[in-house]
Amino acid sequence: MSASPSNQQLIDFVVREARLLDQHRLEDWLDLFTEDGHYWMPLEQGQSDPRLTTSLMYEDKLLLKIRIERLRGKATYSQSPTSRCHHVLQIPQVDERDDQERRYVTWTPMHYVESRGDEQTLYAAWVTHHLTAVEGEIKIRLKRVDLVNCDSALGSIQLFV
């Protein structure tokens, strides 16, 4: 991709990202982030800053890597049996694009199912991807996952929404 990504390429990227998570290709998923990328799951509706208000998750690439290593670890008893997930996306929408600055924002309503053993949990969310183009590849600067019920008592989310 030498030119700016098309809207369809941005949409395809979001769909591919969800597929990598569903297939437990977590290292490939991590490679989609810029070196300064973040994964953010706000605790409050409309939360505007992850540093001034507690979040369910606010992790940089290093913390994401550590989480993946923990999930892959032999002594991770919370992963026996292994959790599985399934993302059901509505069609992602490109909300913003600035080709000159290589900044793109997509918004995707989705349902996410996480299953382990006999337990299955359904979450509904709106996902906002802040994307950029780095050396001809689309990368995630920020993935923001707004759970519909973020302010509810939630169980442990083992994987990545």
Side-chain angles (χ1 to χ4, degrees), residues 77-123:
Y77 300 106
S78 68
Q79 286 301 295
S80 181
T82 302
S83 296
R84 293 187 301 264
C85 66
H86 179 66
H87 292 75
V88 181
L89 308 179
Q90 288 186 16
I91 297 172
Q93 299 171 32
V94 178
D95 280 355
E96 298 175 27
R97 66 177 300 130
D98 183 335
D99 290 325
Q100 187 171 352
E101 295 292 322
R102 294 179 304 186
R103 284 193 319 235
Y104 311 95
V105 178
T106 63
W107 182 78
T108 311
M110 62 168 284
H111 286 166
Y112 169 80
V113 177
E114 191 169 287
S115 176
R116 187 170 70 83
D118 294 334
E119 299 288 323
Q120 182 167 290
T121 307
L122 171 67
Y123 298 95

Side-chain angles (χ1 to χ4, degrees), residues 33-39 59-61 64 140-142:
F33 283 81
T34 60
E35 289 307 312
D36 62 346
H38 284 82
Y39 180 96
E59 299 183 353
D60 63 11
K61 194 167 183 179
L64 292 172
I140 301 169
R141 294 178 114 157
L142 172 68

Side-chain angles (χ1 to χ4, degrees), residues 24-99:
H24 281 256
R25 295 172 54 194
L26 299 178
E27 291 80 7
D28 293 336
W29 173 76
L30 186 62
D31 287 341
L32 298 179
F33 283 81
T34 60
E35 289 307 312
D36 62 346
H38 284 82
Y39 180 96
W40 181 27
M41 190 178 293
L43 179 63
E44 300 175 355
Q45 289 292 328
Q47 186 173 334
S48 61
D49 191 315
R51 293 175 193 92
L52 297 177
T53 305
T54 302
S55 296
L56 294 168
M57 283 188 221
Y58 184 64
E59 299 183 353
D60 63 11
K61 194 167 183 179
L62 175 61
L63 286 176
L64 292 172
K65 181 179 179 186
I66 291 168
R67 182 184 291 269
I68 290 168
E69 289 170 357
R70 182 190 61 81
L71 287 169
R72 298 271 195 236
K74 299 264 188 250
T76 306
Y77 300 106
S78 68
Q79 286 301 295
S80 181
T82 302
S83 296
R84 293 187 301 264
C85 66
H86 179 66
H87 292 75
V88 181
L89 308 179
Q90 288 186 16
I91 297 172
Q93 299 171 32
V94 178
D95 280 355
E96 298 175 27
R97 66 177 300 130
D98 183 335
D99 290 325

Side-chain angles (χ1 to χ4, degrees), residues 121-140:
T121 307
L122 171 67
Y123 298 95
W126 301 282
V127 180
T128 305
H129 286 84
H130 294 258
L131 306 171
T132 189
V134 178
E135 297 177 7
E137 292 186 32
I138 301 171
K139 295 283 188 176
I140 301 169

Side-chain angles (χ1 to χ4, degrees), residues 1 3-13 94 97 99 104 106 138:
M1 180 184 66
S4 298
S6 67
N7 283 0
Q8 188 60 53
Q9 286 172 313
L10 296 169
I11 291 166
D12 291 347
F13 177 88
V94 178
R97 66 177 300 130
D99 290 325
Y104 311 95
T106 63
I138 301 171

